[in-house]
Amino acid sequence: MSACCSSTNSRNFSARCSISLRQPLETGTISVARANAHVTFPARVQLIAAMNPCRCGHLGDASLACARAPRCAADYQAKVSGPLLDRIDLHVEVRAVTAADLVMPPAGEGSAVVGARVAAARAVQVERYRDHLVRTNAEADGPVLDAVATPDAAGRKLLAQAAEAMRLTARGYTRILRVGRTIADLAAAPEVTRIHIAEALSYRRKPPVN
């Protein structure tokens, strides 16, 4: 996938720096313009970023969140531009680690198991795009994307409903198809179905709530 994160911390990056990420995230290239030359370089990146949900970091915890929640969270998260957030495929909210979490047994799946599944999915994509100029689902677009990622009838219906309810942009709609296709690949499913689209939609950014 071209990008995977919850957001980015604008206190560490200027607005101009954040805006400059939009082109490589969208096209996989970066253009540098000078007086006598205009040069485009390859810049396909994987962006991983994180931020607190609000200034105090306790959004969702009724005992600690400030009295202005969720408005304070909306103001805080608005420091990151909507167009940049729209280019991020996966938004994952991670709750604070508790004392109980520290003594729980490790997760059922280890890195080796997950890594093998990812490698298998990448191998499927290599074969899928063997006769095309793209290598992965993240790069697929236009007719190629339509051919490989159009979901079944139930998936198309859910995506159409979600596009209206969530006010998805054309970019967001396309990214849902790419993520849905990748989720299907990870599940070794030949076709994108409603369950894959539903999971892809769950990763789109949601307004903060307390």
Side-chain angles (χ1 to χ4, degrees), residues 2 5 12 16 35 39 42 54 57 92 98 103 111 128 130 144 177 195-196 198:
S2 59
C5 83
N12 296 333
R16 183 177 179 181
V39 183
C54 60
V92 181
T98 66
V103 298
S111 297
R128 173 182 297 140
R130 181 178 55 184
V144 173
L177 290 178
I195 191 170
H196 304 129

mmCIF file with all atom_site columns, all heavy atoms in Angstrom, residues 2 5 12 16 35 39 42 54 57 92 98 103 111 128 130 144 177 195-196 198:
data_model
loop_
_atom_site.group_PDB
_atom_site.id
_atom_site.type_symbol
_atom_site.label_atom_id
_atom_site.label_alt_id
_atom_site.label_comp_id
_atom_site.label_asym_id
_atom_site.label_entity_id
_atom_site.label_seq_id
_atom_site.pdbx_PDB_ins_code
_atom_site.Cartn_x
_atom_site.Cartn_y
_atom_site.Cartn_z
_atom_site.occupancy
_atom_site.B_iso_or_equiv
_atom_site.pdbx_formal_charge
_atom_site.auth_seq_id
_atom_site.auth_comp_id
_atom_site.auth_asym_id
_atom_site.auth_atom_id
_atom_site.pdbx_PDB_model_num
ATOM 1   N N   . SER A 1 2   ? 0.353   2.312   -0.538  1.00 0.00 ? 2   SER A N   1
ATOM 2   C CA  . SER A 1 2   ? 1.194   3.482   -0.695  1.00 0.00 ? 2   SER A CA  1
ATOM 3   C C   . SER A 1 2   ? 1.355   4.246   0.592   1.00 0.00 ? 2   SER A C   1
ATOM 4   O O   . SER A 1 2   ? 2.301   5.007   0.750   1.00 0.00 ? 2   SER A O   1
ATOM 5   C CB  . SER A 1 2   ? 0.593   4.398   -1.767  1.00 0.00 ? 2   SER A CB  1
ATOM 6   O OG  . SER A 1 2   ? -0.711  4.785   -1.389  1.00 0.00 ? 2   SER A OG  1
ATOM 7   N N   . CYS A 1 5   ? -1.032  4.981   7.978   1.00 0.00 ? 5   CYS A N   1
ATOM 8   C CA  . CYS A 1 5   ? -0.811  5.788   9.172   1.00 0.00 ? 5   CYS A CA  1
ATOM 9   C C   . CYS A 1 5   ? -2.113  6.269   9.743   1.00 0.00 ? 5   CYS A C   1
ATOM 10  O O   . CYS A 1 5   ? -3.171  6.080   9.192   1.00 0.00 ? 5   CYS A O   1
ATOM 11  C CB  . CYS A 1 5   ? 0.067   6.981   8.865   1.00 0.00 ? 5   CYS A CB  1
ATOM 12  S SG  . CYS A 1 5   ? -0.812  8.372   8.192   1.00 0.00 ? 5   CYS A SG  1
ATOM 13  N N   . ASN A 1 12  ? 5.743   19.256  14.381  1.00 0.00 ? 12  ASN A N   1
ATOM 14  C CA  . ASN A 1 12  ? 7.102   18.943  13.985  1.00 0.00 ? 12  ASN A CA  1
ATOM 15  C C   . ASN A 1 12  ? 7.383   19.273  12.524  1.00 0.00 ? 12  ASN A C   1
ATOM 16  O O   . ASN A 1 12  ? 8.525   19.289  12.109  1.00 0.00 ? 12  ASN A O   1
ATOM 17  C CB  . ASN A 1 12  ? 7.402   17.463  14.230  1.00 0.00 ? 12  ASN A CB  1
ATOM 18  C CG  . ASN A 1 12  ? 7.352   17.117  15.708  1.00 0.00 ? 12  ASN A CG  1
ATOM 19  O OD1 . ASN A 1 12  ? 7.592   17.965  16.539  1.00 0.00 ? 12  ASN A OD1 1
ATOM 20  N ND2 . ASN A 1 12  ? 7.024   15.875  16.007  1.00 0.00 ? 12  ASN A ND2 1
ATOM 21  N N   . ARG A 1 16  ? 4.004   23.911  4.902   1.00 0.00 ? 16  ARG A N   1
ATOM 22  C CA  . ARG A 1 16  ? 4.594   23.782  3.563   1.00 0.00 ? 16  ARG A CA  1
ATOM 23  C C   . ARG A 1 16  ? 5.208   22.399  3.362   1.00 0.00 ? 16  ARG A C   1
ATOM 24  O O   . ARG A 1 16  ? 5.091   21.801  2.294   1.00 0.00 ? 16  ARG A O   1
ATOM 25  C CB  . ARG A 1 16  ? 5.651   24.862  3.374   1.00 0.00 ? 16  ARG A CB  1
ATOM 26  C CG  . ARG A 1 16  ? 6.294   24.863  1.985   1.00 0.00 ? 16  ARG A CG  1
ATOM 27  C CD  . ARG A 1 16  ? 7.277   26.018  1.863   1.00 0.00 ? 16  ARG A CD  1
ATOM 28  N NE  . ARG A 1 16  ? 7.915   26.007  0.544   1.00 0.00 ? 16  ARG A NE  1
ATOM 29  C CZ  . ARG A 1 16  ? 8.839   26.885  0.162   1.00 0.00 ? 16  ARG A CZ  1
ATOM 30  N NH1 . ARG A 1 16  ? 9.227   27.839  1.007   1.00 0.00 ? 16  ARG A NH1 1
ATOM 31  N NH2 . ARG A 1 16  ? 9.375   26.810  -1.034  1.00 0.00 ? 16  ARG A NH2 1
ATOM 32  N N   . ALA A 1 35  ? 14.969  27.876  -12.204 1.00 0.00 ? 35  ALA A N   1
ATOM 33  C CA  . ALA A 1 35  ? 14.867  28.887  -13.253 1.00 0.00 ? 35  ALA A CA  1
ATOM 34  C C   . ALA A 1 35  ? 15.074  28.306  -14.647 1.00 0.00 ? 35  ALA A C   1
ATOM 35  O O   . ALA A 1 35  ? 14.367  28.652  -15.594 1.00 0.00 ? 35  ALA A O   1
ATOM 36  C CB  . ALA A 1 35  ? 15.880  29.998  -12.992 1.00 0.00 ? 35  ALA A CB  1
ATOM 37  N N   . VAL A 1 39  ? 12.667  19.218  -13.320 1.00 0.00 ? 39  VAL A N   1
ATOM 38  C CA  . VAL A 1 39  ? 13.066  17.817  -13.291 1.00 0.00 ? 39  VAL A CA  1
ATOM 39  C C   . VAL A 1 39  ? 12.101  17.029  -12.408 1.00 0.00 ? 39  VAL A C   1
ATOM 40  O O   . VAL A 1 39  ? 11.711  17.495  -11.332 1.00 0.00 ? 39  VAL A O   1
ATOM 41  C CB  . VAL A 1 39  ? 14.500  17.649  -12.764 1.00 0.00 ? 39  VAL A CB  1
ATOM 42  C CG1 . VAL A 1 39  ? 14.919  16.183  -12.813 1.00 0.00 ? 39  VAL A CG1 1
ATOM 43  C CG2 . VAL A 1 39  ? 15.470  18.510  -13.560 1.00 0.00 ? 39  VAL A CG2 1
ATOM 44  N N   . PRO A 1 42  ? 11.637  9.919   -9.404  1.00 0.00 ? 42  PRO A N   1
ATOM 45  C CA  . PRO A 1 42  ? 10.771  8.906   -8.773  1.00 0.00 ? 42  PRO A CA  1
ATOM 46  C C   . PRO A 1 42  ? 10.779  9.093   -7.264  1.00 0.00 ? 42  PRO A C   1
ATOM 47  O O   . PRO A 1 42  ? 11.819  9.367   -6.664  1.00 0.00 ? 42  PRO A O   1
ATOM 48  C CB  . PRO A 1 42  ? 11.428  7.587   -9.180  1.00 0.00 ? 42  PRO A CB  1
ATOM 49  C CG  . PRO A 1 42  ? 12.853  7.934   -9.479  1.00 0.00 ? 42  PRO A CG  1
ATOM 50  C CD  . PRO A 1 42  ? 12.833  9.324   -10.047 1.00 0.00 ? 42  PRO A CD  1
ATOM 51  N N   . CYS A 1 54  ? -5.713  14.328  20.483  1.00 0.00 ? 54  CYS A N   1
ATOM 52  C CA  . CYS A 1 54  ? -6.025  15.701  20.868  1.00 0.00 ? 54  CYS A CA  1
ATOM 53  C C   . CYS A 1 54  ? -4.824  16.261  21.614  1.00 0.00 ? 54  CYS A C   1
ATOM 54  O O   . CYS A 1 54  ? -3.818  15.571  21.804  1.00 0.00 ? 54  CYS A O   1
ATOM 55  C CB  . CYS A 1 54  ? -7.290  15.761  21.720  1.00 0.00 ? 54  CYS A CB  1
ATOM 56  S SG  . CYS A 1 54  ? -7.166  14.810  23.251  1.00 0.00 ? 54  CYS A SG  1
ATOM 57  N N   . GLY A 1 57  ? -4.185  14.249  24.725  1.00 0.00 ? 57  GLY A N   1
ATOM 58  C CA  . GLY A 1 57  ? -3.940  12.847  24.437  1.00 0.00 ? 57  GLY A CA  1
ATOM 59  C C   . GLY A 1 57  ? -4.898  11.878  25.091  1.00 0.00 ? 57  GLY A C   1
ATOM 60  O O   . GLY A 1 57  ? -4.696  10.664  25.013  1.00 0.00 ? 57  GLY A O   1
ATOM 61  N N   . VAL A 1 92  ? -5.686  4.238   11.657  1.00 0.00 ? 92  VAL A N   1
ATOM 62  C CA  . VAL A 1 92  ? -5.917  3.269   12.726  1.00 0.00 ? 92  VAL A CA  1
ATOM 63  C C   . VAL A 1 92  ? -5.802  3.965   14.070  1.00 0.00 ? 92  VAL A C   1
ATOM 64  O O   . VAL A 1 92  ? -4.771  4.568   14.380  1.00 0.00 ? 92  VAL A O   1
ATOM 65  C CB  . VAL A 1 92  ? -4.904  2.100   12.662  1.00 0.00 ? 92  VAL A CB  1
ATOM 66  C CG1 . VAL A 1 92  ? -5.171  1.099   13.776  1.00 0.00 ? 92  VAL A CG1 1
ATOM 67  C CG2 . VAL A 1 92  ? -4.970  1.413   11.300  1.00 0.00 ? 92  VAL A CG2 1
ATOM 68  N N   . THR A 1 98  ? -2.539  -0.033  28.811  1.00 0.00 ? 98  THR A N   1
ATOM 69  C CA  . THR A 1 98  ? -2.885  -0.095  30.224  1.00 0.00 ? 98  THR A CA  1
ATOM 70  C C   . THR A 1 98  ? -1.951  -1.064  30.954  1.00 0.00 ? 98  THR A C   1
ATOM 71  O O   . THR A 1 98  ? -1.201  -1.820  30.326  1.00 0.00 ? 98  THR A O   1
ATOM 72  C CB  . THR A 1 98  ? -4.333  -0.562  30.413  1.00 0.00 ? 98  THR A CB  1
ATOM 73  O OG1 . THR A 1 98  ? -4.439  -1.928  29.961  1.00 0.00 ? 98  THR A OG1 1
ATOM 74  C CG2 . THR A 1 98  ? -5.302  0.310   29.616  1.00 0.00 ? 98  THR A CG2 1
ATOM 75  N N   . VAL A 1 103 ? 0.849   -7.177  30.993  1.00 0.00 ? 103 VAL A N   1
ATOM 76  C CA  . VAL A 1 103 ? 1.016   -8.531  31.522  1.00 0.00 ? 103 VAL A CA  1
ATOM 77  C C   . VAL A 1 103 ? 0.269   -9.570  30.705  1.00 0.00 ? 103 VAL A C   1
ATOM 78  O O   . VAL A 1 103 ? 0.306   -10.756 31.024  1.00 0.00 ? 103 VAL A O   1
ATOM 79  C CB  . VAL A 1 103 ? 0.551   -8.606  32.994  1.00 0.00 ? 103 VAL A CB  1
ATOM 80  C CG1 . VAL A 1 103 ? 1.385   -7.683  33.867  1.00 0.00 ? 103 VAL A CG1 1
ATOM 81  C CG2 . VAL A 1 103 ? -0.933  -8.232  33.119  1.00 0.00 ? 103 VAL A CG2 1
ATOM 82  N N   . SER A 1 111 ? 5.320   -12.191 13.808  1.00 0.00 ? 111 SER A N   1
ATOM 83  C CA  . SER A 1 111 ? 5.744   -11.447 12.623  1.00 0.00 ? 111 SER A CA  1
ATOM 84  C C   . SER A 1 111 ? 6.017   -12.381 11.446  1.00 0.00 ? 111 SER A C   1
ATOM 85  O O   . SER A 1 111 ? 5.749   -12.031 10.286  1.00 0.00 ? 111 SER A O   1
ATOM 86  C CB  . SER A 1 111 ? 6.995   -10.630 12.933  1.00 0.00 ? 111 SER A CB  1
ATOM 87  O OG  . SER A 1 111 ? 6.721   -9.655  13.921  1.00 0.00 ? 111 SER A OG  1
ATOM 88  N N   . ARG A 1 128 ? -0.175  -10.719 -11.273 1.00 0.00 ? 128 ARG A N   1
ATOM 89  C CA  . ARG A 1 128 ? -1.346  -10.006 -11.798 1.00 0.00 ? 128 ARG A CA  1
ATOM 90  C C   . ARG A 1 128 ? -0.933  -8.887  -12.755 1.00 0.00 ? 128 ARG A C   1
ATOM 91  O O   . ARG A 1 128 ? -1.567  -8.680  -13.800 1.00 0.00 ? 128 ARG A O   1
ATOM 92  C CB  . ARG A 1 128 ? -2.154  -9.421  -10.634 1.00 0.00 ? 128 ARG A CB  1
ATOM 93  C CG  . ARG A 1 128 ? -3.305  -8.509  -11.070 1.00 0.00 ? 128 ARG A CG  1
ATOM 94  C CD  . ARG A 1 128 ? -4.007  -7.936  -9.854  1.00 0.00 ? 128 ARG A CD  1
ATOM 95  N NE  . ARG A 1 128 ? -4.604  -8.985  -9.058  1.00 0.00 ? 128 ARG A NE  1
ATOM 96  C CZ  . ARG A 1 128 ? -4.598  -9.009  -7.716  1.00 0.00 ? 128 ARG A CZ  1
ATOM 97  N NH1 . ARG A 1 128 ? -4.014  -8.028  -7.039  1.00 0.00 ? 128 ARG A NH1 1
ATOM 98  N NH2 . ARG A 1 128 ? -5.155  -9.995  -7.067  1.00 0.00 ? 128 ARG A NH2 1
ATOM 99  N N   . ARG A 1 130 ? 1.939   -8.541  -14.381 1.00 0.00 ? 130 ARG A N   1
ATOM 100 C CA  . ARG A 1 130 ? 3.105   -8.927  -15.173 1.00 0.00 ? 130 ARG A CA  1
ATOM 101 C C   . ARG A 1 130 ? 3.121   -8.239  -16.529 1.00 0.00 ? 130 ARG A C   1
ATOM 102 O O   . ARG A 1 130 ? 4.185   -7.878  -17.044 1.00 0.00 ? 130 ARG A O   1
ATOM 103 C CB  . ARG A 1 130 ? 3.110   -10.450 -15.353 1.00 0.00 ? 130 ARG A CB  1
ATOM 104 C CG  . ARG A 1 130 ? 4.296   -10.989 -16.133 1.00 0.00 ? 130 ARG A CG  1
ATOM 105 C CD  . ARG A 1 130 ? 4.230   -12.499 -16.212 1.00 0.00 ? 130 ARG A CD  1
ATOM 106 N NE  . ARG A 1 130 ? 2.956   -12.940 -16.779 1.00 0.00 ? 130 ARG A NE  1
ATOM 107 C CZ  . ARG A 1 130 ? 2.605   -14.216 -16.891 1.00 0.00 ? 130 ARG A CZ  1
ATOM 108 N NH1 . ARG A 1 130 ? 3.407   -15.170 -16.444 1.00 0.00 ? 130 ARG A NH1 1
ATOM 109 N NH2 . ARG A 1 130 ? 1.436   -14.540 -17.422 1.00 0.00 ? 130 ARG A NH2 1
ATOM 110 N N   . VAL A 1 144 ? -7.134  -0.568  -15.520 1.00 0.00 ? 144 VAL A N   1
ATOM 111 C CA  . VAL A 1 144 ? -6.457  -1.685  -14.857 1.00 0.00 ? 144 VAL A CA  1
ATOM 112 C C   . VAL A 1 144 ? -7.045  -1.911  -13.470 1.00 0.00 ? 144 VAL A C   1
ATOM 113 O O   . VAL A 1 144 ? -7.351  -3.049  -13.085 1.00 0.00 ? 144 VAL A O   1
ATOM 114 C CB  . VAL A 1 144 ? -4.934  -1.425  -14.758 1.00 0.00 ? 144 VAL A CB  1
ATOM 115 C CG1 . VAL A 1 144 ? -4.262  -2.515  -13.927 1.00 0.00 ? 144 VAL A CG1 1
ATOM 116 C CG2 . VAL A 1 144 ? -4.319  -1.355  -16.146 1.00 0.00 ? 144 VAL A CG2 1
ATOM 117 N N   . LEU A 1 177 ? -10.924 1.087   -3.342  1.00 0.00 ? 177 LEU A N   1
ATOM 118 C CA  . LEU A 1 177 ? -10.796 -0.054  -4.250  1.00 0.00 ? 177 LEU A CA  1
ATOM 119 C C   . LEU A 1 177 ? -9.422  -0.703  -4.118  1.00 0.00 ? 177 LEU A C   1
ATOM 120 O O   . LEU A 1 177 ? -9.306  -1.933  -4.083  1.00 0.00 ? 177 LEU A O   1
ATOM 121 C CB  . LEU A 1 177 ? -11.015 0.402   -5.697  1.00 0.00 ? 177 LEU A CB  1
ATOM 122 C CG  . LEU A 1 177 ? -12.440 0.811   -6.082  1.00 0.00 ? 177 LEU A CG  1
ATOM 123 C CD1 . LEU A 1 177 ? -12.470 1.280   -7.536  1.00 0.00 ? 177 LEU A CD1 1
ATOM 124 C CD2 . LEU A 1 177 ? -13.419 -0.341  -5.877  1.00 0.00 ? 177 LEU A CD2 1
ATOM 125 N N   . ILE A 1 195 ? -17.205 -7.966  2.227   1.00 0.00 ? 195 ILE A N   1
ATOM 126 C CA  . ILE A 1 195 ? -16.461 -7.958  3.487   1.00 0.00 ? 195 ILE A CA  1
ATOM 127 C C   . ILE A 1 195 ? -15.121 -7.240  3.329   1.00 0.00 ? 195 ILE A C   1
ATOM 128 O O   . ILE A 1 195 ? -14.653 -6.553  4.247   1.00 0.00 ? 195 ILE A O   1
ATOM 129 C CB  . ILE A 1 195 ? -16.250 -9.400  4.003   1.00 0.00 ? 195 ILE A CB  1
ATOM 130 C CG1 . ILE A 1 195 ? -15.719 -9.362  5.439   1.00 0.00 ? 195 ILE A CG1 1
ATOM 131 C CG2 . ILE A 1 195 ? -15.307 -10.186 3.102   1.00 0.00 ? 195 ILE A CG2 1
ATOM 132 C CD1 . ILE A 1 195 ? -15.708 -10.717 6.106   1.00 0.00 ? 195 ILE A CD1 1
ATOM 133 N N   . HIS A 1 196 ? -14.512 -7.345  2.154   1.00 0.00 ? 196 HIS A N   1
ATOM 134 C CA  . HIS A 1 196 ? -13.249 -6.654  1.916   1.00 0.00 ? 196 HIS A CA  1
ATOM 135 C C   . HIS A 1 196 ? -13.474 -5.143  1.801   1.00 0.00 ? 196 HIS A C   1
ATOM 136 O O   . HIS A 1 196 ? -12.681 -4.343  2.320   1.00 0.00 ? 196 HIS A O   1
ATOM 137 C CB  . HIS A 1 196 ? -12.589 -7.181  0.644   1.00 0.00 ? 196 HIS A CB  1
ATOM 138 C CG  . HIS A 1 196 ? -12.379 -8.657  0.663   1.00 0.00 ? 196 HIS A CG  1
ATOM 139 N ND1 . HIS A 1 196 ? -12.791 -9.490  -0.371  1.00 0.00 ? 196 HIS A ND1 1
ATOM 140 C CD2 . HIS A 1 196 ? -11.836 -9.478  1.606   1.00 0.00 ? 196 HIS A CD2 1
ATOM 141 C CE1 . HIS A 1 196 ? -12.483 -10.734 -0.079  1.00 0.00 ? 196 HIS A CE1 1
ATOM 142 N NE2 . HIS A 1 196 ? -11.917 -10.766 1.114   1.00 0.00 ? 196 HIS A NE2 1
ATOM 143 N N   . ALA A 1 198 ? -15.951 -3.518  3.202   1.00 0.00 ? 198 ALA A N   1
ATOM 144 C CA  . ALA A 1 198 ? -16.314 -3.048  4.543   1.00 0.00 ? 198 ALA A CA  1
ATOM 145 C C   . ALA A 1 198 ? -15.068 -2.796  5.387   1.00 0.00 ? 198 ALA A C   1
ATOM 146 O O   . ALA A 1 198 ? -14.984 -1.788  6.110   1.00 0.00 ? 198 ALA A O   1
ATOM 147 C CB  . ALA A 1 198 ? -17.216 -4.074  5.221   1.00 0.00 ? 198 ALA A CB  1
#
